[in-house]
């Protein structure tokens, strides 16, 4: 359509007849099983713009737009209103039923319209708006030498994945920043703005790397994962679980870290069953010592003890906010912040329970398609690991309800007292942890 | 959904509606706030929502044969509540104007009255006719004491004005016949079922129109109901007065009551009370149109033309009488002449100006009654949330 309009008067490609009526069919992807769900963020605007081409080149031109949802984000609402005011632009919700050859033009039948009935139209041209497909769909563009493959990881909608709220430009491949329609469908102006944001992020990246520091979100971190490789059992959990593909494998299966890809989330530290991955300032031992240092009141004092492993990115600030707002919750809980809930190592759970701590809570970010985890899947991995904890609990002869995993968004701080108190109530149904005092 | 509409939008028609005062009709996005707000819209196929999209899509056939536009009494509740500023009340008004113009016979007079550029021609016709009458008598001589029969012989008035009225009535009947036939043949609302006869339906419609019951139920701007009621009955009273006087002169050969006669004779009381109601009602309408336009709706040339004639009629009529009492012959006779011009305009433009709503509304309501499209008025306004629910909702929210 753009090509036709660029030639001045819009003429039909088949026979060169000058076009005086066009039907635009929008939101096709929502009517079919097509996966490109977000086309209309731009598609409706493009159709409106092309309707304007027609109206400007032909004062008697009629443009019909049939849509499911007319979307004109932000300031484009004004453009939509302008086009709506044009007497030659006809807007209606509607589902196209059939298009057939109707003499001079095409017979289009649309059902479920705002007119309350099926509409039959004879138009010169029918324009179908298809969804937007990112360039990276078929070609990797950057041929990445990652063990996960040459493509950038994508979200369920086929666009390059990134943290949709906090850092949209950071891909899961450190040093690569995406902008524009590779990331999500958007118009030119938004692409430009997006590209500016991504360029600024790239500058920060170059600067931090030159100083040997981690990039966002742990910008400035100078530590690296340190692997005591002689004890490695080649289980490959670290290479599998690293969200950023920082570990390659040597032929014998031992991990080969790529420090420049690392974001210092320490998910590998939690994944390692041999507990041989640690950081200079964050290790299995350090957290273990924190757990061991917790004072556990004896079973006769009727004071339970609960330890909460909590993500320092969103959940810990939420607890802060609960404090600022003076929300009251059980005094028997002790918080241990982690870089990411994905740090959680099974040994800490075992340590805590065998020390007599009555319950353990894990609070991390939301996961799933619209994940909020700053390291993509840390909280999901933690939940997964806790699903497998029953073996440890059985060995200790303890109830599985003593461990609970929660997802918490930063703005849900008001629910913290309820989360904690509910857990305390559950624990009150059990006897105290029999390992107290050992 | 079984119906299928072959859409051939008439851009010119949409443009005409926009020019006729429905300037914001394209802004409608079919949220149906208007139809919900309207107290007198029928439950099934309510207006003005469907009329809005028909207007947007230039569906002239639909709108021209839609009796619903006449069921609206334009309280403008829909326009004030419209979230998009599309002014459905004004759009329906524009449609009504187009209906009058479309059905008018002879059609050129419909164009003449509806076109602002033709204003001079439109007012020139009655001026020329009345001046011709004046000069056919004694010209502008002012005999004393003021007695209008000495200025212009009553016979002239009888003949010319009766002819004018006859023309108006014939033209109106022809226009309405066309409209009725359109309603019958097109039946745009697709109402099927038992039909009532014309006469019983008309009687039912008149039973609603004469006391203005529907108008009263359109509660948003109730002062309009009072004003219109006064103008309606005032005008009817004046018409009856005139008819009785004419009957007395022509048939019974009784001289018209002299200006010097007592003001307490029944015919004078009827005339004066009617005149006061007429002028007072008009004054209320005029003041509201000028001071609260958001409730009165937009005022197009079509509105002002009719207002000009009817207010001119009222004002000059009252001045004529007052000047006669004050005994200033020149003023009295001149205003009498102007008054005659206005009354003549009122008569000859009846089927073409907004005055024609008298006929079209009656016919449309009659059709609706015949077709069983009855408005079941809610006992209470449609949106009154029960107080208990409100507090429960608040508790739940907190």
């Amino acid at each position: 359509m753009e090509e036709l309009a660029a030639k001045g008067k819009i003429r039909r490609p088949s026979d060169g007849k000058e076009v005086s009526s066009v039907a635009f069919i929008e939101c096709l992807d929502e009517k079919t099983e097509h996966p490109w769900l977000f086309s209309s963020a731009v598609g409706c605007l493009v159709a409106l713009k092309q309707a304007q081409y027609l109206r400007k080149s032909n004062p008697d031109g009629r443009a019909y737009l049939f849509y499911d949802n007319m979307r004109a984000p932000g300031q484009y609402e004004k453009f939509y209103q302008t086009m709506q005011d044009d007497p030659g632009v006809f807007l209606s919700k509607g589902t196209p039923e059939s298009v057939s050859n109707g003499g001079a033009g095409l017979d289009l039948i649309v059902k479920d319209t705002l007119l309350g009935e099926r509409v039959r139209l004879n138009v010169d041209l029918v324009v179908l708006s298809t969804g937007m497909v990112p360039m990276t769909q078929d070609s990797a563009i950057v041929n990445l030498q990652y063990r996960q493959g040459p493509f950038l990881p994508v979200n369920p909608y086929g666009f390059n994945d990134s943290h949709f709220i906090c850092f949209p430009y950071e891909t899961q491949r450190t040093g690569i920043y995406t902008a524009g329609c590779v990331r999500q469908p958007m118009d030119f102006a938004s692409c430009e703005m997006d590209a500016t944001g991504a360029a600024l992020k790239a500058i920060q990246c170059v600067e931090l790397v030159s100083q040997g520091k981690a990039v966002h979100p742990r910008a400035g971190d100078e530590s690296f994962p340190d692997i005591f490789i002689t004890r490695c059992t080649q289980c490959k959990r670290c290479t599998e679980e690293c969200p950023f593909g920082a570990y390659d494998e040597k032929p014998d299966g031992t991990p080969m870290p790529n420090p420049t890809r690392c974001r210092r989330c320490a998910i590998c530290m939690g994944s390692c069953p041999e507990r041989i991955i640690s950081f200079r300032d964050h290790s299995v031992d350090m957290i273990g010592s924190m757990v061991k240092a917790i004072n556990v009141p004896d079973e006769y004092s009727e004071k339970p003890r609960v330890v909460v492993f909590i993500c320092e990115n969103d959940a810990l600030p939420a607890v802060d906010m609960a404090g600022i707002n003076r929300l009251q919750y059980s005094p028997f809980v002790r918080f241990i912040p982690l870089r990411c809930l994905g740090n959680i190592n099974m040994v800490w759970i075992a340590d805590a329970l065998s020390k007599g701590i009555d319950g353990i809570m894990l609070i991390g970010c939301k996961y799933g398609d619209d994940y909020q985890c700053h390291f993509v899947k840390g909280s999901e991995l933690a939940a997964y690991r806790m699903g497998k904890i029953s073996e440890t609990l059985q060995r200790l002869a303890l109830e599985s309800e003593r461990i609970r995993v929660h997802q918490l968004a930063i703005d849900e701080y008001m629910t913290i007292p309820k989360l904690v108190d509910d857990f305390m109530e559950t624990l009150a149904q059990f006897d105290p942890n029999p390992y107290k005092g050992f | 959904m079984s119906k299928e509409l072959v859409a051939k939008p008439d851009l010119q028609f949409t443009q005409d509606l926009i020019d006729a005062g429905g300037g914001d009709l394209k802004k409608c996005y079919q949220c149906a706030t208007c139809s919900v707000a309207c107290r007198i819209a029928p439950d099934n196929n309510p207006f003005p929502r469907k009329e809005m999209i028909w207007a947007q899509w230039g569906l002239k056939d639909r709108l021209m044969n839609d009796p619903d536009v006449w069921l609206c009494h334009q309280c403008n509740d829909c326009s004030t509540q419209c979230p998009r500023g599309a002014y459905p009340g004004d759009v329906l008004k524009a449609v009504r104007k187009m209906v009058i113009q479309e059905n008018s016979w002879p059609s050129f007079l419909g164009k003449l009255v509806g076109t602002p550029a033709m204003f001079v021609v439109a007012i020139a016709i009655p001026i020329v006719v009345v001046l011709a009458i004046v000069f056919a008598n004694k010209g502008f001589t002012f005999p004393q004491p003021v007695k209008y029969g000495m200025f212009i012989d009553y016979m002239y008035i009888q003949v010319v004005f009766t002819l004018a009225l006859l023309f108006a009535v014939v033209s109106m009947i022809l226009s309405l016949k066309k409209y009725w036939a359109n309603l019958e043949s097109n039946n745009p609302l697709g109402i099927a079922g038992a039909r009532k006869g014309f006469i019983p339906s008309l009687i039912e419609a008149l039973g609603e129109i004469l006391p203005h019951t529907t108008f009263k139920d359109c509660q948003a701007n109730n002062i309009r109901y009072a004003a219109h009621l006064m103008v309606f009955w005032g005008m009817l009273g004046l018409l009856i007065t005139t008819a009785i006087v004419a009957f007395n002169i022509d048939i019974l050969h009784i001289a018209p009551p002299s200006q010097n006669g007592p003001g307490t004779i029944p015919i004078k009381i009827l005339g004066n009370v009617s005149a006061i109601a007429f002028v007072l009602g008009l004054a209320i309408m005029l003041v509201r149109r000028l001071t609260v336009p958001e409730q009165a709706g937009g005022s197009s040339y079509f509105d002002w033309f009719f207002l000009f004639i009817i207010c001119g009629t009222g004002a000059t009529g009252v001045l004529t009488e007052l000047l006669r009492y004050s005994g200033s012959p020149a003023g009295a006779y001149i205003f009498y002449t102007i008054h005659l011009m206005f009354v003549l305009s009122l008569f000859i433009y009846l089927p073409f100006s907004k005055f024609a709503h008298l006929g079209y509304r009656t016919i449309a309501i009659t059709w609706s009654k015949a077709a069983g499209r009855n408005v079941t008025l809610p006992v209470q306004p449609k949106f009154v949330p029960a107080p208990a629910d409100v507090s429960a909702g608040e508790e739940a929210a907190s």
Side-chain angles (χ1 to χ4, degrees), chain B residues 38-266:
Chain B
C38 183
R39 294 246 314 132
I40 59 174
D43 296 340
N44 191 19
N45 265 333
F47 59 85
R49 178 186 178 180
K50 65 179 186 303
E51 280 74 13
M52 291 302 285
I53 194 154
W54 290 352
Q56 286 181 338
W57 281 64
L59 303 179
K60 187 174 178 180
D61 289 350
R62 289 282 174 91
L63 286 170
M64 288 298 105
N65 306 317
D66 177 18
D68 280 8
V69 297
W70 295 102
L71 301 188
C72 162
H73 287 56
Q74 220 194 347
C75 64
N76 278 321
D77 213 13
C78 52
S79 291
T80 48
Q81 293 192 31
C82 177
R84 202 71 164 178
Y87 297 96
D90 287 352
V91 174
L92 289 195
K93 187 174 70 180
V95 174
R96 289 193 288 266
K97 181 205 162 178
M98 299 299 286
V99 170
I100 292 174
Q101 256 186 36
E102 187 72 15
N103 291 294
S104 61
W105 181 93
S107 57
F108 77 90
L109 275 173
K111 292 260 174 349
L112 177 78
V113 174
T115 316
M118 301 299 271
F119 178 67
V120 179
V121 182
I123 59 163
I125 294 172
I127 291 176
V128 168
V129 172
V130 171
L131 284 182
I133 296 173
V134 170
F135 286 106
N137 281 278
K138 295 158 198 148
F140 281 102
T141 53
F142 308 125
Q144 282 199 334
V146 178
K147 195 167 179 195
Y148 294 124
M150 310 225 317
F151 180 59
I152 298 172
D153 189 351
Y154 283 122
M155 208 50 220
Y156 284 95
I157 309 239
Q158 303 280 358
V159 172
V160 173
F161 280 72
T162 309
L163 281 177
L165 194 59
L166 209 61
F167 163 74
V169 169
V170 168
S171 166
M172 190 80 233
I173 287 173
L174 287 174
S175 308
L176 292 179
K177 248 189 108 171
K178 190 174 163 194
Y179 185 54
W180 180 268
N182 284 344
L183 290 184
E184 285 289 292
S185 59
N186 292 301
N187 191 1
L189 303 172
I191 300 170
R195 291 292 310 261
K196 269 192 281 183
F198 179 77
I199 299 295
S201 310
L202 182 65
I203 291 169
E204 204 184 326
L206 287 177
E208 186 180 298
I209 294 166
L210 294 182
H212 284 38
T213 41
T214 313
F215 212 145
K216 192 179 176 186
D217 280 312
C218 191
Q219 287 176 344
N221 293 309
N222 236 345
I223 192 160
R224 291 171 65 252
Y225 151 72
H228 194 275
L229 195 68
M230 277 198 273
V231 173
F232 180 81
W233 282 103
M235 188 162 246
L236 212 57
L238 289 170
L239 195 70
I240 290 167
T241 311
T242 314
I244 290 173
V245 170
F247 183 76
N248 283 345
I249 296 173
D250 292 343
I251 313 291
L252 305 177
H253 300 290
I254 300 170
S258 163
Q259 73 278 14
N260 301 323
T264 49
I265 57 172

Side-chain angles (χ1 to χ4, degrees), chain A residues 62 80 86 89 118 120, chain B residues 4-5 7 9 26 62 84:
Chain A
R62 280 139 220 234
Y80 159 68
D86 189 328
V89 175
R118 285 164 69 202
R120 180 191 286 274
Chain B
E4 183 173 285
L5 166 74
K26 278 299 231 179
R62 289 282 174 91
R84 202 71 164 178

Side-chain angles (χ1 to χ4, degrees), chain A residues 62 64 66 77 80-81 84-92 112 114-121, chain B residues 1 3-7 9 11 14-15 18 26-30 49 53-54 56-57 59 62 84:
Chain A
R62 280 139 220 234
Y64 306 88
F66 295 100
E77 172 75 5
Y80 159 68
Q81 286 178 358
Q84 194 192 20
D85 274 346
D86 189 328
V89 175
F90 304 93
L91 308 173
S92 173
D112 301 335
L114 286 178
L115 289 137
E117 54 206 316
R118 285 164 69 202
V119 174
R120 180 191 286 274
L121 285 169
Chain B
M1 265 297 147
K3 281 195 292 175
E4 183 173 285
L5 166 74
V6 179
L11 290 192
T14 307
Q15 194 56 51
I18 289 172
K26 278 299 231 179
K27 294 198 173 119
C28 169
Y29 55 10
Q30 291 287 300
R49 178 186 178 180
I53 194 154
W54 290 352
Q56 286 181 338
W57 281 64
L59 303 179
R62 289 282 174 91
R84 202 71 164 178

Side-chain angles (χ1 to χ4, degrees), chain A residues 124-164:
Chain A
D124 295 333
L125 204 64
V126 174
V127 179
L128 308 178
S129 293
T130 53
M132 208 177 242
V133 180
M135 295 274 290
T136 45
Q137 164 72 2
D138 300 320
S139 152
I141 309 225
V142 186
N143 270 311
L144 298 171
Q145 300 288 315
Y146 279 62
R147 62 185 290 277
Q148 287 87 350
F151 286 86
L152 288 169
V154 293
N155 62 23
Y157 312 108
F159 292 90
N160 285 317
D161 191 35
S162 58
H163 191 278
F164 76 108

